[in-house]
Amino acid sequence: MGLPIDATLGERIRFYRQQAGLTQKELASLCEVSESAIRNYELGNRVPDFLTLHTIAGKLRVNYAAISGEKITEMEGALQALYKLEEIYGLYPTEVDGHIHFAFRDSIAVGDFKPDIDAITRSPGALLQYRILGFMKACAQHSAGEMTDEEYALWKSKFPAFLSDFYEFRKQAGRTEEETFDGDAPVPSEKPQSPERSRERKINSGR
């Protein structure tokens, strides 16, 4: 049995320890910590500090990002995220005309998508491709100057569940044209905001 995608830190330590064929006592000796410390790390009762976790990863001969669940803002964490995309959604790297691209193992032609959410949700890979249709349109609009940096940041924070908030913002900005994003239809926000409140809120652009 492999390591669960949502494994905790303790579960990752246990998994890689067992993969290395080590007992808790043996790993503790290698890392110069107590056996109870390793036991508590694996149970989630304690969290090893940065240096201790680095030592554990080194003794188990695994990438620190793999065992720590590193954030994707770090290079190793980004690679681990790509590995998970391959495991969950079948998204893998390939070379096309001398350039690296990512492709779905079970790729679906854009023209073959149908508004049958029940059928699409049976496959994580299919659902991700369906959502990416909307991402493609928003990205194209941003690149063409039809969507500002702020609007693009807002869109990404709202799509798909709260896309109606984005439409409302666009209307208030004087963009009244009809628009939909392939791969999704507007979904009502749980708590619609008044126009006055919407004008005051900060756009998710890091400012």
Side-chain angles (χ1 to χ4, degrees), residues 148-167:
T148 67
D149 290 346
E150 290 185 338
E151 289 173 326
Y152 189 44
L154 179 64
W155 182 89
K156 287 188 287 187
S157 75
K158 300 298 183 184
F159 182 80
F162 301 101
L163 194 54
S164 60
D165 283 1
F166 172 75
Y167 290 135

Side-chain angles (χ1 to χ4, degrees), residues 9-19 42-43:
L9 174 59
E11 289 170 339
R12 290 193 293 273
I13 294 174
R14 180 187 299 114
F15 175 82
Y16 291 118
R17 173 181 61 77
Q18 293 174 340
Q19 287 287 302
E42 293 187 358
L43 291 173

Side-chain angles (χ1 to χ4, degrees), residues 45-150:
N45 296 330
R46 292 173 57 188
V47 177
D49 60 37
F50 178 80
L51 291 178
T52 300
L53 188 55
H54 257 285
T55 300
I56 291 172
K59 298 303 181 182
L60 295 178
R61 299 189 65 79
V62 298
N63 189 293
Y64 174 79
I67 202 169
S68 68
E70 194 69 43
K71 296 179 180 180
I72 62 172
T73 50
E74 302 294 335
M75 181 63 67
E76 298 300 330
L79 284 170
Q80 292 298 319
L82 290 176
Y83 301 155
K84 288 182 173 60
L85 286 172
E86 189 274 331
E87 294 170 14
I88 302 171
Y89 302 105
L91 190 65
Y92 70 99
T94 185
E95 183 180 333
V96 179
D97 297 329
H99 296 275
I100 297 175
H101 293 255
F102 280 84
F104 288 93
R105 284 202 172 84
D106 299 316
S107 182
I108 301 173
V110 173
D112 291 342
F113 277 104
K114 297 178 181 179
D116 184 352
I117 298 298
D118 290 336
I120 292 173
T121 53
R122 295 190 190 113
S123 165
L127 180 58
L128 181 59
Q129 290 176 70
Y130 182 67
R131 295 302 193 203
I132 286 176
L133 291 176
F135 182 23
M136 287 170 60
K137 181 173 182 180
C139 187
Q141 287 188 352
H142 178 245
S143 296
E146 298 171 8
M147 193 183 292
T148 67
D149 290 346
E150 290 185 338

Side-chain angles (χ1 to χ4, degrees), residues 125 165 189 204:
D165 283 1
S189 148
N204 302 326

